[in-house]
Amino acid sequence: MTISRGFPQGSGLSPLLFNIFARKLLKQCTSSTFQFADDTTLATANLSLSAVVENLMASFYAVKEFCDSHELKINQEKTQFIVFKKPEKSIPDDFQLTLDNCTIKPHKTVKLLGITLDQHLTFGPHIDNVTNKCQGLLGILARATLYLPKELLKLICTALIRSHMEYCSAIFSSAAKIHLKKLDVIQRKAARSIYRVPRDGHADIA
């Protein structure tokens, strides 16, 4: 079909052209603003929840003004709100953001660029999601051990399993050992499948 303007979704030029098109958006906001293609995240830090709401609302309407002037639309259904805090600090039940007559309550977890962030930054929910996904992939790897050589099995493990485990793993420094151990278990199971190590610990070297 004929395209009058823009590029098809998935085009390699689309993110670059959008970033050029929206390059002045950062200057509109008073709070910290982070962009990845068309994903925009607003962040502010304050001990007062009312100050947090005030800063975020001011930045939101600045972003909205920019979007309206550039014929862009904010997807309210994908807009998320989370407050990072200490476990002992509580948030009032009626605490919320009201943006364009749309009420947004804080979530305990949000997903941002493939990472599940929890309000205490433990990364426990994210690691749980990764391990659950890798458990199913371990089954594929185990079934393939009867038909594929060791080098191909290692390649499959790197592409399908380690890619999930290592994605943004540099930020797991604050994660507890009990969570990190789950990733270690996945890695051990993958190694056992690749080298065909049975429960008794003796590798099949045939």
Side-chain angles (χ1 to χ4, degrees):
M1 60 184 298
T2 302
I3 300 175
S4 59
R5 59 180 179 176
F7 281 79
Q9 184 173 358
S11 167
L13 282 176
S14 297
L16 173 62
L17 293 178
F18 181 85
N19 286 333
I20 294 174
F21 184 69
R23 66 189 183 280
K24 295 182 179 180
L25 173 61
L26 297 176
K27 298 179 180 179
Q28 301 288 111
C29 302
T30 56
S31 62
S32 300
T33 307
F34 307 93
Q35 282 184 277
F36 183 84
D38 62 342
D39 248 325
T40 302
T41 301
L42 304 176
T44 187
N46 201 296
L47 294 177
S48 170
L49 289 177
S50 59
V52 168
V53 169
E54 183 179 345
N55 293 340
L56 289 179
M57 288 182 65
S59 292
F60 171 80
Y61 286 112
V63 170
K64 185 176 184 302
E65 182 181 354
F66 176 89
C67 291
D68 290 342
S69 64
H70 288 70
E71 298 184 20
L72 298 172
K73 184 179 180 181
I74 298 176
N75 191 338
Q76 294 185 354
E77 294 182 357
K78 291 186 177 181
T79 301
Q80 305 174 98
F81 177 38
I82 188 170
V83 177
F84 299 114
K85 64 180 187 65
K86 294 181 178 179
E88 62 269 15
K89 188 171 182 178
S90 60
I91 297 177
D93 295 334
D94 58 348
F95 182 67
Q96 60 189 24
L97 276 175
T98 303
L99 308 172
D100 272 356
N101 298 321
C102 179
T103 300
I104 305 175
K105 293 188 175 182
H107 297 281
K108 292 184 178 180
T109 61
V110 298
K111 196 167 186 179
L112 178 63
L113 301 178
I115 296 291
T116 302
L117 299 173
D118 60 283
Q119 58 185 350
H120 306 313
L121 287 180
T122 64
F123 297 103
H126 175 74
I127 292 175
D128 287 341
N129 291 340
V130 170
T131 53
N132 289 338
K133 188 178 296 183
C134 289
Q135 287 289 357
L137 296 172
L138 283 173
I140 297 175
L141 182 67
R143 289 191 291 272
T145 56
L146 299 176
Y147 310 99
L148 298 178
K150 191 181 302 179
E151 292 304 316
L152 277 180
L153 292 173
K154 288 195 290 185
L155 184 62
I156 290 173
C157 178
T158 300
L160 297 183
I161 298 175
R162 288 188 65 90
S163 59
H164 289 292
M165 295 173 59
E166 294 181 359
Y167 179 68
C168 289
S169 59
I171 65 175
F172 296 164
S173 58
S174 62
K177 289 184 178 180
I178 190 173
H179 298 311
L180 296 176
K181 187 176 180 181
K182 297 176 183 178
L183 297 176
D184 187 51
V185 169
I186 294 294
Q187 188 162 277
R188 289 174 182 272
K189 287 183 177 180
R192 186 178 293 117
S193 294
I194 293 172
Y195 293 97
R196 302 174 188 174
V197 180
R199 292 292 179 180
D200 59 10
H202 296 289
D204 180 6
I205 60 175

